[in-house]
């Protein structure tokens, strides 16, 4: 509350930095604290039904920026003339710093959104055994909130975050739900289908709440009894979901998220034709996240390696059309992939737009530039630069590893893109 004031909603103005205390799931804005940038936002805020909100004067921008003063870069000099070469160099440096700040600001927003969603998920999971019906309602509300935020922009970029907020179980559930929703959206699913898809994906492993911690993560060392104890999380999850009063479509996702198109999955050994369409999406995304974020972090694959393995060895396990759509959406080099550019520099992919899968946004290793000022490049805007190959983490030179800091675990979120939509039809 330090430096904050309470104001009537009727007195709000564009430029005020406000704090909504109604909960992340009860409003359509990306964050609960933000600067009001338009009259349309004021209309939405007033429709929330709140009488007052908190605002931070020191973070607000109610006045127009001051005009440039003598001595400012780009302003007329009060004494003598500016050296053109020095001015050009400073302008380049300023542009790079501005681009890096914009990149970091966008990442900070995505991470804050992810953190709020993870907190909401952890809270509702704590209710599953005590009040399953309320937990089910909150899971639907969280999914609806995610969908509302996805609808803000016609096209979305998928971004890898620095760290996964919350515990591994929450991070896995959020990853599977978010990426499943993006894939379902790309495939043209309707609103009701997306709501069931996201809810089922959020709760696909809910049965593990009733499984001994030793058996919650599959191990190649399991004997038959231990493997059965692990596989029982599916049936237990279905029973819990029934108590949560989820829709039949969401129940099907929970019941079939370990089935495979070639009938080698469990517990029912369904083939692709018998699997629910929404379950086919979650089974695919669940496998991808399991490869990138296994229980033993040292066994994790880069996102590019995970996609390559799924395509090369697991095509029979997944719906072929869906797998191709997933690869188009994630990009050939998904966020988090380590790559070498065509000019031999090393880089890490930080964001992908599905309509331009070969031209992601990357952060580049350049020993001449401090790591905290690392160069961020949108390859789509650079016609002469591309990606030569993908690398494993172990193949990255040690200085580049310290500089780029590849993720040990991957967490994803989304943000709007300005380019026209390019959906991957399923």
């Amino acid at each position: 509350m330090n430096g904050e004031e309470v104001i009537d909603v009727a007195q709000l103005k564009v430029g005020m930095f406000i704090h909504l205390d109604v909960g992340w799931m009860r409003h359509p804005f990306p964050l609960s604290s933000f600067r009001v940038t338009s009259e349309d936002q004021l209309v939405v805020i007033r429709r929330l039904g709140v009488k007052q909100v908190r605002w931070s004067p020191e973070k607000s921008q109610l006045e127009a920026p001051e005009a440039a003063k003598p001595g400012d870069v780009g302003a007329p000099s009060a004494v003598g003339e500016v050296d053109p070469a020095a001015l050009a160099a400073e302008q380049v440096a300023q542009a790079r710093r501005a681009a890096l700040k914009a990149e970091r600001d966008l990442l900070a927003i995505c991470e804050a959104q992810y953190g709020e969603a993870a907190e909401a998920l952890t809270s509702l999971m704590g209710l599953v055994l005590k009040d399953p019906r309320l937990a089910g309602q909150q899971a639907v509300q969280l999914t609806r909130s995610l969908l509302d935020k996805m609808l803000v922009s016609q096209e979305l970029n998928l971004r890898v975050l620095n760290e996964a907020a919350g515990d591994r179980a929450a991070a896995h559930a959020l990853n599977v739900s978010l990426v499943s929703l993006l894939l379902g959206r790309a495939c043209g699913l309707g609103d009701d289908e997306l709501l069931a898809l996201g809810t089922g994906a959020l709760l696909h492993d809910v049965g593990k709440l009733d499984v001994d911690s030793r058996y919650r993560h599959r191990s190649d060392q399991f004997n038959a009894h231990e493997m059965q104890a692990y596989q029982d999380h599916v049936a237990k999850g279905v029973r819990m979901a029934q108590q949560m009063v989820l829709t039949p479509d969401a129940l099907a996702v929970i019941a079939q998220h370990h089935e495979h198109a070639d009938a080698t999955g469990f517990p029912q050994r369904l083939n692709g034709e018998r699997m629910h369409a929404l379950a086919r999406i979650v089974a695919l995304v669940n496998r991808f996240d399991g490869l990138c974020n296994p229980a033993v972090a040292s066994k994790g694959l880069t996102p590019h390696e995970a996609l390559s393995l799924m395509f090369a060895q697991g095509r029979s396990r997944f719906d072929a059309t869906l797998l191709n759509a997933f690869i188009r959406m994630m990009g050939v080099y998904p966020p988090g992939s380590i790559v070498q550019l065509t000019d031999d520099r090393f880089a890490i992919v930080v964001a992908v737009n599905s309509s331009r899968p070969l031209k992601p946004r990357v952060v580049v290793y350049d020993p001449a530039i401090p790591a905290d000022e690392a160069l961020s490049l949108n390859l789509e805007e650079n016609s002469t630069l591309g990606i030569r190959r993908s690398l494993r983490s172990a193949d990255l030179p040690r200085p580049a590893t310290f500089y780029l800091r590849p993720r040990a675990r991957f967490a994803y979120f989304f943000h709007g893109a300005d380019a026209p939509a390019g959906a991957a039809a399923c």
Side-chain angles (χ1 to χ4, degrees):
M1 296 290 292
N2 186 31
E4 298 173 6
E5 300 177 8
V6 177
I7 188 173
D8 290 339
V9 169
Q11 296 178 287
L12 288 178
K13 298 178 181 179
V14 172
M16 286 184 168
F17 191 97
I18 67 169
H19 309 271
L20 295 176
D21 296 318
V22 297
W24 193 66
M25 295 187 289
R26 287 186 53 200
H27 64 78
F29 301 107
L31 295 176
S32 296
S33 299
F34 60 95
R35 183 178 296 110
V36 178
T37 58
S38 70
E39 292 290 340
D40 289 341
Q41 289 182 340
L42 291 177
V43 172
V44 174
I45 294 167
R46 289 166 185 149
R47 288 176 178 171
L48 294 177
V50 296
K51 302 292 185 182
Q52 296 178 317
V53 296
R54 292 180 293 123
W55 75 292
S56 300
E58 72 279 4
K59 295 182 180 180
S60 301
Q61 293 181 354
L62 297 176
E63 298 179 359
E66 297 181 6
K69 301 175 182 177
D72 289 347
V73 174
S77 176
V79 181
E81 294 186 1
V82 177
D83 178 21
L87 177 60
E90 177 59 24
Q91 288 175 333
V92 170
Q94 274 195 344
R96 189 178 74 237
R97 287 194 293 268
L100 183 62
K101 182 181 184 303
E103 184 75 15
R104 287 176 173 170
D105 288 347
L106 187 56
L107 177 60
I109 290 174
C110 288
E111 290 180 337
Q113 290 175 335
Y114 188 97
E116 291 194 32
E119 184 178 352
L121 176 60
T122 301
S123 176
L124 76 87
M125 292 298 284
L127 292 171
V128 171
L129 299 179
K130 295 183 293 185
D131 193 341
R133 186 181 292 265
L134 179 58
Q137 293 171 352
Q138 291 191 2
V140 173
Q141 289 173 0
L142 177 54
T143 303
R144 167 51 62 197
S145 182
L146 291 171
L147 286 172
D148 287 345
K149 287 162 176 58
M150 286 182 180
L151 294 175
V152 171
S153 179
Q154 188 178 19
E155 187 176 1
L156 299 171
N157 284 343
L158 185 65
R159 174 173 290 271
V160 66
L161 308 183
N162 284 331
E163 297 292 341
D167 59 22
R168 180 182 179 276
H172 173 66
L174 262 184
N175 273 354
V176 173
S177 185
L178 285 167
V179 178
S180 293
L181 284 173
L182 290 173
L183 182 54
R185 185 178 187 266
C187 290
L189 295 185
D191 188 72
D192 289 343
E193 292 174 305
L194 287 171
L195 191 60
L197 172 66
T199 304
L202 273 178
L203 299 171
H204 72 278
D205 275 339
V206 68
K208 290 185 177 181
L209 291 176
D210 193 30
V211 172
D212 190 292
S213 60
R214 294 173 295 174
Y215 309 131
R216 289 178 184 171
H217 305 293
R218 186 172 184 167
S219 170
D220 294 336
Q221 309 303 317
F222 278 171
N223 58 34
H225 170 76
E226 293 168 328
M227 183 61 72
Q228 186 59 55
Y230 162 74
Q231 294 185 355
D232 281 347
H233 81 268
V234 176
K236 291 179 177 181
V238 171
R239 289 195 292 271
M240 290 180 178
Q242 289 171 335
Q243 294 176 333
M244 297 166 77
V245 198
L246 300 186
T247 65
D249 288 343
L251 279 170
V253 169
I254 296 171
Q256 300 176 19
H257 72 275
H258 278 297
E259 303 288 354
H260 299 152
D262 60 1
T264 61
F266 67 87
Q268 297 177 280
R269 293 189 175 274
L270 301 177
N271 60 25
E273 293 181 356
R274 296 175 61 199
M275 286 179 67
H276 193 288
L278 302 185
R280 291 201 295 268
I281 292 176
V282 175
L284 174 66
V285 178
N286 184 50
R287 173 60 173 166
F288 173 78
D289 194 68
L291 291 172
C292 295
N293 297 308
V296 180
S298 61
K299 296 183 178 180
L301 304 181
T302 68
H304 177 81
E305 289 177 308
L307 272 189
S308 299
L309 180 65
M310 291 173 68
F311 185 77
Q313 300 180 2
R315 280 177 289 178
S316 62
R317 295 176 57 177
F318 309 107
D319 180 293
T321 301
L322 193 61
L323 179 59
N324 288 333
F326 182 61
I327 293 173
R328 289 199 301 275
M329 184 192 80
M330 295 297 291
V332 178
Y333 306 100
S337 298
I338 303 166
V339 298
Q340 187 171 26
L341 304 179
T342 50
D343 62 2
D344 290 333
R345 287 183 295 176
F346 299 107
I348 187 166
V349 178
V350 295
V352 167
N353 190 297
S354 60
S355 65
R356 299 177 292 277
L358 294 176
K359 291 288 188 175
R361 181 176 290 278
V362 299
V363 169
V364 180
Y365 166 57
D366 187 338
I369 300 175
D372 60 357
E373 296 182 10
L375 185 62
S376 174
L377 294 178
N378 185 350
L379 296 182
E380 198 273 332
E381 298 174 354
N382 195 318
S383 60
T384 62
L385 190 62
I387 293 176
R388 172 172 295 162
R389 61 175 179 142
S390 174
L391 299 172
R392 297 177 301 170
S393 299
D395 294 334
L396 196 61
R398 193 173 183 83
T401 299
F402 284 117
Y403 190 99
L404 296 175
R405 292 175 293 179
R407 280 70 169 168
R409 294 197 179 277
F410 300 91
Y412 291 111
F413 210 79
F414 57 87
H415 62 81
D418 296 328
C426 294

